[in-house]
Amino acid sequence: VLLVLDRSGSMAYSTSADANCATGATDCTGRWPALTAAVSATLSSTSGSIRWGLKLFSSTGTACGVSSGVEVAIATTSVSAIQSLITSTQPVGNTPTAQAIQAATAYLQMVNDQNTKSILLATDGEPNCGSGSYSAPDVQATVEVIAAAKAAGFLVYVIGIGPSVGNLDNFAAAGGTTHYFP
């Protein structure tokens, strides 16, 4: 399973509102710590039975940048490397979801083993970076690349966090998994 993890700036926002926890929102549970705690627990409980890998987005240090390849390769021993990386990572940048799924699909096509492969997209919702602009919505392109991942043989499961998750059922349906998981 390749975890495609949204680390955009909005992951510093509250799990219940579109308010930035870093700028003084009171009683604020941030999306990034909530999501990464759940991911870490899941990784720990499945480390013996699932081979995990990690793709972060944005990933190049630019607002809409996504590097080719992955941050942690799929392996039987990758859990501690993934946990260490997400613990040392902070939310930054925009939400180039389509580009991240494209990179994930390209990577999975190069993994030569007989195991079933899938993508687990974890995000807080609205992708942007359409046409290379951080302000341009990119929902349709994201649906298209998720459908392409499914056509390439990779189901795309979607986990959503936060209040702005209206597109996530569309992403899950395009990925062959029907509904997103809150």
Side-chain angles (χ1 to χ4, degrees), residues 80-174:
S80 62
I82 294 170
Q83 290 171 324
S84 177
L85 185 57
I86 63 175
T87 298
S88 66
T89 299
Q90 295 299 314
V92 66
N94 293 81
T95 314
T97 311
Q99 297 89 327
I101 296 294
Q102 281 179 315
T105 301
Y107 169 77
L108 287 175
Q109 289 173 322
M110 303 305 280
V111 176
N112 293 319
D113 62 30
Q114 298 303 312
N115 294 317
T116 301
K117 294 160 194 65
S118 59
I119 294 170
L120 177 58
L121 170 63
T123 184
D124 67 349
E126 186 79 22
N128 53 23
C129 297
S131 303
S133 169
Y134 72 89
S135 62
D138 208 20
V139 173
Q140 186 57 41
T142 301
V143 168
E144 290 169 7
V145 299
I146 289 173
K150 180 182 178 257
F154 313 122
L155 292 177
V156 179
Y157 296 88
V158 182
I159 296 173
I161 190 165
S164 301
V165 293
N167 298 311
L168 299 187
D169 274 339
N170 294 334
F171 296 170

Side-chain angles (χ1 to χ4, degrees), residues 12-31:
Y13 287 21
S14 168
T15 56
S16 60
D18 282 326
N20 192 334
C21 289
T23 58
T26 58
D27 296 325
C28 195
T29 300
R31 296 173 195 173

Side-chain angles (χ1 to χ4, degrees), residues 46-87:
T46 60
S47 67
S49 58
I50 295 177
R51 298 173 66 222
W52 289 97
L54 175 66
K55 176 72 191 154
L56 293 172
F57 67 100
S58 65
S59 59
T60 64
T62 62
C64 289
V66 174
S67 61
S68 60
V70 296
E71 283 71 23
V72 179
I74 292 175
T76 56
T77 58
S78 64
V79 167
S80 62
I82 294 170
Q83 290 171 324
S84 177
L85 185 57
I86 63 175
T87 298

